[in-house]
Amino acid sequence: MSLLMPEAPAVAATREWWRGAAIYQIYPRSFADSNGDGIGDLPGITAHLDHVASLGVDAIWLSPFFTSPMKDFGYDVADYCGVDPIFGTIDDFDALVARAHQLGLKVIIDQVYSHSSDQHDWFKESRSSRDNPKADWYVWADPKPDGSPPNNWQSVFGGPAWTWDARRCQYYMHNFLSAQPQLHVHNAEVQQALLDAARFWLDRGVDGFRVDAINFAMHDPELRDNPPAPPSNRPRTRSFDFQLRVHNQSHADIPLFLERLRALLDRYGATFTVAEVGGDDAEREMKTFTEGNARLNSAYGFNFLYADRLTAALVRETVERWPEEHGTGWPSWAFENHDAPRAISRWTTPEHADAFARMKMLLLVALRGNIFLYYGEELGLTQVDIPFDRLVDPEAITNWPLTMSRDGARTPMPWRSDAPALGFSNAEPWLPVGPDHAGIAVDVQDADPDSLLALTRRLLALRNAHPALRVGAMRVLAAEGDLLAFERRVDEERLLCLFNLGAGRCEWTPPEPDRWQVIAETGAIDGWRLGPHAGMIVKG
């Protein structure tokens, strides 16, 4: 890999800090364990923030660390303003924020607005009777005359989206686990309570929010049945897959709540909001949630996260849905996260893993929008095959063996190649370490200037040095077979980005081929001929 650091103009200081930012996702359970219980925690994260800052990212995103019974590992929140004891204390959180800010890192945390835990005090009160002050804070409904659920809605994790509760002699709704009852976000009091929780964290110095599953936040108050999904070649492993989810999610009032959230953040200055949006109508919803200047700053979907192959056609189709046009929101992209199998294991074979990982990182930093790096992605971590008796992910257990479990992408961060649990903990970790992760641990790659880790640092520095990469427009020039070529441009700076996504060879020659200077390359390149999993960025 060669990379020149040219004399490029600095990115304008007046640009919002988040526009074009690189954001590093940390899954707290799996990053670093400071107290020897086998589970990662906030002090462990704080102790390793120097590593994160050394990458050249702008911010960290912390997956949930809130008080929770951990039925869905923190996405079942029992106290929106509390830190679960397994992760530490509120003082530990404050110390983490202070250290991150010292290192120049912004801090983004999750907010889960569509559901809470069934152990939350709000739900305990709501289920106690039909006439208590919080009786309408969750979605309750009477049974049909035969005692069956109110309608045909299905849960993401399988089975009906309704559970009977004898206290109220009603069903409560849950789009996910039965331990995650659906908040009634149509209710103005619920909205205010959620905004109050957001304010709590903003007052503690948080710089923004990643809003989880926001298109599930509101439902059709008439509780109409969902229609059946049309026939499809896609495999259906869940009852959820057999419906068009037009009534249990994606309600038209969700953007109005997001405007209230954005107004709150705007009062705190240059903060950032990004939505996670999945489902069959994700593109439209992402654009709706980011439309104009009064809603969220950005959104990301699962275009790459759930793709079983990385193809030029996929990249072209995905990025061209977010043109640089007035009124179109700002996109974010992730190749990996806590809900998807590691990209290296989805997109290539072990013999090509190193070359592919390098090309993939070059592609990620070249995309227009914000980019997310999942912890360990800078090392090229692979998906770990977790045996059934070690699975803890409720979705994987329910759908085993027809799913590549989320647990396999949540395994411990390998810090030291020769240490127990690879330096993650001095106890048995909550998930097993990857059998091939010792050879790509942080200490190994830190000592190798040609490692993927070293490359990641250089590429993020390149992105920060070139406004065209950070904030420029993007135009796809070619997407044929394994060949991908696109232009990034801002003001007078113009870059061409070329990639061979396959294991063969390909060639693409631009106009005036002699005018271009290579500023980054990976893989075997001979002029404009690209070897397997090769890529380059050139400046004209």
Side-chain angles (χ1 to χ4, degrees), residues 229-365:
S232 169
N233 292 327
R234 296 164 59 183
R236 295 174 174 177
T237 60
R238 307 168 297 177
S239 55
F240 180 79
D241 299 326
F242 287 83
Q243 295 181 355
L244 295 177
R245 282 86 63 178
V246 296
H247 295 307
N248 63 316
Q249 64 181 81
S250 310
H251 193 276
D253 286 348
I254 294 174
L256 302 180
F257 170 63
L258 296 181
E259 290 175 5
R260 296 190 65 191
L261 177 65
R262 173 66 183 273
L264 170 65
L265 270 80
D266 283 350
R267 292 199 289 272
Y268 283 80
T271 49
F272 172 62
T273 49
V274 57
E276 175 209 37
V277 184
D280 298 331
D281 201 21
E283 298 292 342
R284 181 192 64 80
E285 290 180 308
M286 285 191 288
K287 290 178 179 178
T288 299
F289 297 161
T290 59
E291 182 180 7
N293 295 316
R295 296 177 182 174
L296 302 186
N297 300 115
S298 189
Y300 79 91
F302 291 79
N303 308 72
F304 296 116
L305 292 169
Y306 284 173
D308 58 2
R309 290 183 60 215
L310 178 64
T311 66
L314 171 65
V315 176
R316 178 173 208 157
E317 176 185 350
T318 300
V319 301
E320 287 186 346
R321 292 175 179 174
W322 290 87
E324 189 179 32
E325 295 177 352
H326 180 71
T328 299
W330 182 257
S332 290
W333 308 114
F335 290 165
E336 301 184 6
N337 78 359
H338 63 289
D339 280 332
R342 293 279 184 180
I344 293 298
S345 299
R346 277 185 288 130
W347 287 346
T348 192
T349 55
E351 61 268 28
H352 296 295
D354 181 66
F356 191 93
R358 293 167 183 271
M359 181 273 296
K360 176 177 72 72
M361 190 63 70
L362 183 63
L363 173 60
L364 183 63
V365 302

Side-chain angles (χ1 to χ4, degrees), residues 13-26:
T14 56
R15 175 187 50 78
E16 307 99 324
W17 71 263
W18 53 264
R19 192 175 294 274
I23 301 168
Y24 187 87
Q25 182 191 355
I26 295 174

Side-chain angles (χ1 to χ4, degrees), residues 460-494:
L460 287 170
L462 183 81
R463 182 177 169 92
N464 289 331
H466 286 277
L469 291 178
R470 180 97 181 199
V471 297
M474 179 173 176
R475 182 167 67 100
V476 177
L477 304 174
E480 303 161 358
D482 293 325
L483 172 70
L484 174 67
F486 56 84
E487 175 188 77
R488 300 296 312 277
R489 183 196 288 262
V490 66
D491 299 328
E492 300 304 314
E493 184 178 44
R494 182 187 180 199

Side-chain angles (χ1 to χ4, degrees), residues 66 79-82 93 109-113 122 190-211 257 260-268 271-273:
F66 312 111
D79 181 356
Y80 282 93
C81 299
F93 178 80
I109 66 173
D110 262 305
Q111 294 288 271
V112 186
Y113 293 150
W122 298 346
V190 173
Q191 290 190 19
Q192 190 58 53
L194 294 172
L195 294 174
D196 289 345
R199 184 181 294 106
F200 173 86
W201 296 109
L202 291 168
D203 286 339
R204 305 199 86 86
V206 163
D207 300 292
F209 300 124
R210 178 260 191 190
V211 186
F257 170 63
R260 296 190 65 191
L261 177 65
R262 173 66 183 273
L264 170 65
L265 270 80
D266 283 350
R267 292 199 289 272
Y268 283 80
T271 49
F272 172 62
T273 49

Side-chain angles (χ1 to χ4, degrees), residues 130 140-143 163-172:
R130 296 193 184 195
W140 295 93
D142 292 329
T163 290
W164 176 255
D165 190 285
R167 298 164 184 82
R168 291 180 46 144
C169 288
Q170 285 183 306
Y171 283 94
Y172 68 86

Side-chain angles (χ1 to χ4, degrees), residues 383-438:
Q383 181 82 0
V384 179
D385 185 13
I386 308 293
F388 182 78
D389 62 352
R390 290 295 304 271
L391 289 176
V392 292
D393 172 20
E395 182 182 34
I397 293 169
T398 300
N399 296 307
W400 188 87
L402 298 177
T403 183
M404 189 179 286
S405 86
R406 298 183 299 177
D407 288 337
R410 300 175 177 181
T411 54
M413 179 76 167
W415 294 103
R416 299 192 305 277
S417 59
D418 59 352
L422 303 184
F424 165 76
S425 175
N426 57 19
E428 177 71 17
W430 75 289
L431 285 173
V433 298
D436 61 338
H437 289 180

